[in-house]
């Protein structure tokens, strides 16, 4: 799908505030509200926009501790097995297969160190995990929403 500069500006407006009305976005991109809606509908139908969500500040709900955990797995562990297992743990924010020594990288959030330790113990108890290496986040330096690259 071709995304033009107006689509990019619409997406940027929605990333900044998904509750913006079509009229508000239209005033920013010089289109009518119905024209913005048609473009948003097209972007949704094409899968460019996958949904709208609420972004919660983890600290505001008491989840002040986060870590990245490298998982080392048995030889025949598939990405699907890792996906299914990590989805069972509410502390998992994201999980990725990666290159390098580790098989997967898991981002965890917890209320405190004790909660993080419990989450790590449960994650390490998955049958395919042979070992792990954890890094606790001290401070978050950059936390950007997804941005759309400029057209070439």
């Amino acid at each position: 799908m071709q995304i033009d500069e107006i689509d990019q500006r619409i997406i940027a407006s929605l990333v900044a505030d998904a509750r913006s009305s079509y009229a508000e976005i239209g005033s920013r991109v010089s289109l009518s509200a119905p024209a913005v809606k048609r473009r948003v509908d097209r972007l949704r139908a094409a899968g460019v926009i996958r949904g709208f969500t609420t972004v919660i500040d983890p600290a505001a709900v008491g989840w002040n501790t986060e870590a990245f955990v490298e998982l080392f797995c048995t030889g025949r562990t598939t990405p699907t097995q890792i996906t299914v297992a990590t989805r069972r743990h509410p502390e998992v924010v994201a999980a990725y297969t990666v290159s390098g020594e580790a098989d997967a990288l898991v981002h965890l959030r917890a209320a405190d160190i004790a909660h993080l330790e419990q989450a790590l113990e449960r994650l390490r108890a998955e049958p395919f995990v042979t070992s792990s290496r954890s890094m606790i986040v001290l401070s978050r330096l950059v936390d950007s929403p997804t941005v759309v690259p400029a057209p070439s």
Side-chain angles (χ1 to χ4, degrees):
M1 173 180 175
Q2 285 286 15
I3 297 176
D4 64 18
E5 183 182 339
I6 293 173
D7 289 335
Q8 289 177 338
R9 291 173 53 209
I10 290 170
I11 292 166
S13 290
L14 290 169
V15 168
D17 183 3
R19 294 183 63 184
S20 295
S21 70
Y22 295 132
E24 291 168 333
I25 295 169
S27 70
R28 289 185 216 124
V29 300
S30 302
L31 289 177
S32 67
V36 171
K37 182 186 183 314
R38 282 191 299 275
R39 283 179 175 255
V40 170
D41 288 347
R42 183 176 49 84
L43 291 165
R44 289 185 74 193
V48 174
I49 296 174
R50 296 187 311 189
F52 303 90
T53 188
T54 301
V55 179
I56 303 296
D57 178 1
V61 293
W63 288 51
N64 298 305
T65 304
E66 63 185 313
F68 287 89
V69 181
E70 292 178 319
L71 293 183
F72 299 86
C73 305
T74 57
R76 295 198 174 268
T77 303
T78 66
T80 301
Q81 288 173 291
I82 296 169
T83 300
V84 169
T86 55
R87 284 193 172 149
R88 285 194 292 262
H89 302 276
E91 298 84 1
V92 172
V93 175
Y96 313 91
T97 54
V98 294
S99 62
E101 292 179 36
D103 296 294
L105 181 66
V106 179
H107 182 192
L108 297 172
R109 280 207 180 107
D112 53 31
I113 293 295
H115 181 194
L116 179 63
E117 184 176 19
Q118 292 168 358
L120 284 169
E121 291 299 323
R122 282 187 278 110
L123 191 57
R124 286 191 280 229
E126 293 293 343
F128 57 81
V129 175
T130 58
S131 66
S132 67
R133 182 170 39 219
S134 303
M135 294 151 281
I136 295 175
V137 174
L138 300 177
S139 61
R140 183 178 283 268
L141 302 176
V142 177
D143 192 12
S144 300
T146 302
V147 293
V148 179
S152 18

